[in-house]
């Protein structure tokens, strides 16, 4: 049997013994009919934390500490907001802002910037719209691509990027490709199948980008011959007289949005383009719808001598979404509105 060491009582203070002796005398006084003052003193001693702890120590030989009262602590401050460097990348699946309600009307007052210097009868086109209808079954009906995929916007907030040139980047979450992704989401939500080509054709070589994007678009059309509409999605670049980036925007439903411009190519440059007038018809009727639904969203329709790649279909357009002076968020807001207008027209 192991030896049990003697318990040490060195931790017991003298005041505890004195308190016990006083309590014993008061108890005798109480038993012998002492007054109320003795009762009150006994009650106070019984509630004294030091007395209770010392009594236990006298019995066990183990020094006891009275329970401590926790100190009040100041509430913790909120965790700091993440800095731009620590913020997560943009969530492409995040729910977009709610669109302002579209006005239920059509505005036939079309402003035309006729750089091609070709006579066109806009009023006649508005009275006899081209019929472009897509199936509501999810099969590919619209092609979106970007001849100048590195075109980007003015950095703002979390929308920053590593540049590959002036207001250009290969980061597809920050360039005009991101705007194409948003347009794709809007159309697909309406049941319209979309082929979105996200390849970069203008970097490292800018020259020849239209030829490279044309080859990719033709390959997609060969694979999906039922595609009715093709959109070469760009962003514009406008400089002020003093060399600053010009911002083209308007306020719709309390939101700042980038303005859009429909560009129609022709055969005025000598390149074959047999159905550019049908494209023009499609553009001015789409413009009338957009002007009515979201006044201030669209710039003038631009008729150009160059063909660009708009000869692919009788429903092929070049679309400029904002300019380098706009922010990405302004461009995303406007393309959502345009996407709803486009869906309404081709699903009608």
């Amino acid at each position: 049997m192991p030896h049990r060491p003697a318990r040490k009582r060195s931790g017991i203070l003298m005041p505890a013994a004195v308190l016990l002796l006083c309590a014993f005398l008061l108890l005798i006084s109480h038993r012998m009919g002492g007054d109320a003052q003795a009762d009150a003193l006994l009650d106070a001693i019984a509630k004294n934390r030091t007395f209770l702890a010392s009594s236990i120590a006298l019995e066990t030989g183990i020094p006891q500490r009275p329970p401590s009262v926790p100190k009040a602590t100041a509430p913790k401050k909120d965790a700091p907001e993440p800095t731009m460097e620590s913020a997560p990348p943009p969530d492409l699946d995040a729910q977009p802002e709610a669109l302002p309600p579209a006005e239920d009307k059509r505005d036939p007052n079309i402003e035309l910037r006729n750089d091609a210097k070709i006579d066109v009868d806009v009023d006649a086109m508005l009275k006899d719209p081209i019929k472009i209808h897509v199936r509501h079954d999810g099969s590919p009906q619209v092609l979106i691509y970007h001849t100048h995929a590195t075109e980007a916007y003015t950095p703002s907030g979390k929308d920053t990027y590593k540049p590959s040139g002036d207001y250009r980047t290969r980061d597809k979450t920050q360039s005009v490709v991101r705007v194409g992704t948003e347009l794709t989401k809007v159309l697909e939500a309406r049941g319209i199948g979309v082929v979105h080509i996200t390849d970069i054709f203008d970097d490292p070589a800018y020259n020849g980008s239209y030829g490279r994007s044309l080859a990719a678009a033709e390959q997609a059309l060969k694979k999906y011959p039922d595609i009715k509409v093709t959109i070469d999605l760009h962003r514009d670049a406008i400089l002020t007289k003093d060399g600053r980036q010009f911002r083209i925007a308007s306020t719709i439903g309390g939101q700042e949005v980038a303005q859009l411009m429909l560009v129609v190519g022709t055969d005025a440059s000598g390149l074959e383009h047999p159905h550019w007038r049908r494209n023009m018809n499609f553009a001015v009727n789409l413009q009338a719808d957009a002007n009515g639904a979201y006044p201030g969203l669209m710039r003038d329709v631009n008729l150009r001598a160059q063909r660009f790649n708009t000869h692919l279909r009788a429903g092929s357009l070049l679309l400029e979404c904002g300019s380098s002076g706009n922010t990405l968020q302004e461009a995303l807001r406007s393309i959502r509105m345009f996407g709803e207008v486009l869906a309404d027209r081709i699903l009608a």
Side-chain angles (χ1 to χ4, degrees):
M1 182 176 182
H3 176 68
R4 190 175 190 178
R7 294 182 296 182
K8 295 182 180 180
R9 299 178 183 267
S10 59
I12 306 305
L13 301 176
M14 179 59 71
V18 174
L19 281 172
L20 287 172
L21 178 60
C22 291
F24 177 71
L25 293 175
L26 286 169
L27 183 60
I28 293 175
S29 173
H30 173 73
R31 293 279 178 92
M32 296 177 65
D35 56 19
Q37 291 181 350
D39 291 341
L41 188 56
L42 273 172
D43 185 63
I45 291 173
K47 294 179 180 179
N48 185 280
R49 294 177 183 273
T50 303
F51 170 72
L52 294 175
S54 299
S55 300
I56 296 172
L58 281 172
E59 171 61 25
T60 63
I62 303 174
Q64 302 287 320
R65 293 181 181 179
S68 60
V69 179
K71 295 181 180 179
T73 57
K76 294 182 179 180
K77 295 182 178 180
D78 293 335
E81 292 293 326
T83 62
M84 189 179 299
E85 289 74 17
S86 63
D91 182 3
L92 300 186
D93 295 323
Q95 291 296 319
E97 301 172 17
L99 290 178
E103 297 187 25
D104 187 18
K105 66 178 183 178
R106 178 172 156 89
D107 185 354
N109 296 312
I110 304 298
E111 296 293 333
L112 176 63
R113 176 181 159 186
N114 193 343
D115 291 334
K117 306 296 191 255
I118 302 176
D119 289 336
V120 291
D121 190 340
V122 172
D123 290 336
M125 293 179 177
L126 289 170
K127 293 176 182 177
D128 186 21
I130 182 176
K131 302 297 189 295
I132 297 180
H133 297 305
V134 301
R135 294 193 302 273
H136 193 266
D137 59 3
S139 61
Q141 302 281 283
V142 175
L143 171 65
I144 301 171
Y145 64 102
H146 311 273
T147 294
H148 299 150
T150 65
E151 290 175 334
Y153 298 87
T154 295
S156 175
K158 295 180 181 179
D159 295 321
T160 60
Y161 51 82
K162 179 181 178 181
S164 61
D166 291 340
Y167 296 90
R168 293 178 179 276
T169 182
R170 293 184 65 87
D171 183 351
K172 296 176 183 179
T173 68
Q174 293 294 318
S175 70
V176 72
V177 175
R178 172 70 178 89
V179 181
T181 299
E182 196 69 16
L183 178 56
T184 299
K185 289 167 59 176
V186 172
L187 296 177
E188 288 182 339
R190 298 287 300 273
I192 301 171
V194 179
V195 176
H196 183 202
I197 299 174
T198 62
D199 296 352
I200 294 176
F201 304 111
D202 59 332
D203 189 55
Y206 185 81
N207 289 338
S209 52
Y210 272 98
R212 290 187 287 275
S213 68
L214 175 59
E218 288 177 333
Q219 184 177 359
L221 292 175
K222 184 177 181 180
K223 184 176 181 179
Y224 304 105
D226 291 338
I227 286 177
K228 300 291 194 305
V229 176
T230 75
I231 297 175
D232 187 3
L233 184 54
H234 294 246
R235 70 105 177 94
D236 210 346
I238 307 172
L239 296 179
T240 61
K241 291 182 179 179
D242 57 358
R244 292 181 293 108
Q245 300 295 325
F246 189 74
R247 175 175 172 267
I248 46 175
S250 60
T251 303
I252 301 177
Q255 300 179 3
E256 289 293 306
V257 303
Q259 290 183 309
L260 301 128
M261 181 171 68
L262 292 168
V263 178
V264 181
T266 69
D267 57 5
S269 65
L271 295 177
E272 184 180 2
H273 195 335
H275 44 246
W276 71 262
R277 290 185 183 273
R278 291 172 63 81
N279 286 350
M280 184 67 182
N281 182 303
F282 181 49
V284 297
N285 280 282
L286 189 58
Q287 179 95 352
D289 294 344
N291 286 349
Y294 300 106
L297 177 64
M298 307 299 293
R299 298 161 64 191
D300 298 349
V301 175
N302 189 198
L303 187 64
R304 299 288 293 273
Q306 295 83 359
R307 183 178 70 175
F308 301 112
N309 290 338
T310 60
H311 63 293
L312 291 169
R313 286 287 188 274
S316 293
L317 300 169
L318 189 151
L319 176 64
E320 301 272 9
C321 184
S323 72
S324 50
N326 290 102
T327 67
L328 175 61
Q329 293 305 313
E330 290 170 344
L332 293 176
R333 293 182 192 120
S334 61
I335 204 65
R336 292 177 196 128
M337 298 176 190
F338 176 82
E340 295 293 345
V341 172
L342 175 61
D344 286 343
R345 169 142 293 273
I346 61 181
L347 284 172

